Amino acid sequence: MLSALERFAPLPLQESWDNAGLQVGLTETEVSGALLCLDVTEKIVDEAIQKGCNLIVSHHPLLFRGLKQISDLTDVQRTVMKTICNGICVISMHTNMDNARGGVNFRIARKLGLQGVKFLAPKTVDGVESGSGIVGELPEAMAADDFVIAVKKAFDVECAMCNELLHRPVSKVAVCGGAGDFLLGEALKAGADAFITGEMHYHQYFGYEQQIQICVIGHYQSEQYTADIFDEIIREACPEVRTVIAETCTNPILYL
């Protein structure tokens, strides 16, 4: 299963600061079930135990930095301890899944119905075409306010953080799931009418009035369909493996 995931999104595609791949466990473990999720938390491990899954496949790595001890002092340490004590393996496919063709950003594009999709900032790694973000065309141009409403509906969000609404129709759309504000300049260069991402720094909203429609929908919300990608990869490569998309919401941000 690990090899199937890595064929789809090879580890060399991950960013230099990332830590994708096997996080906890043994590579030869026989899988009783795979729980698919965005983040690995204690509650996610509890759900895996409850549902008889001894593998967790997440988007965000459980281990970003090295641990100097494994105790009950932090949530990460407690989660690692719980996975080990219960014989649960953890695999994370992060920026390699972001940068892969058919990965996170392509799934966002599919949810929006974008056509003619291509990488926003393309690159080739070890002979594999990849890139950061994507850009594509809406089936039909729409007014900026209708576009924001359509995005909110597609991702089931109650609010979106936007700059001043464009006075022209939105047709070409750039996308980057998660924290994608570093691609705003690339979106402008590509001639995008709108840029959708999960997070953006406050000061980056300034100065783009009537240049591009910024639409920020939340980190978790933008990547929430990543588990569906895992599900499709595993079902095709390992149809004998039972897959379960996690029901536990790990979004730490409350909208009150």
Side-chain angles (χ1 to χ4, degrees), residues 18 30 41 95 151 210 220 228:
D18 201 6
E30 184 175 343
T41 64
T95 52
V151 172
Q210 300 310 311
Y220 180 94
D228 295 334

Side-chain angles (χ1 to χ4, degrees), residues 149-168:
I149 291 171
V151 172
K152 289 168 59 178
K153 182 177 180 180
F155 291 87
D156 192 26
V157 297
E158 295 183 3
C159 64
M161 293 179 286
C162 305
N163 61 345
E164 178 182 275
L165 289 176
L166 279 184
H167 296 162
R168 68 173 191 272

Side-chain angles (χ1 to χ4, degrees), residues 194-212:
F195 178 57
I196 301 171
T197 190
E199 290 184 44
M200 181 168 287
H201 287 86
Y202 172 78
H203 293 286
Q204 288 190 273
Y205 287 86
F206 288 98
Y208 298 103
E209 295 80 12
Q210 300 310 311
Q211 291 187 54
I212 192 168

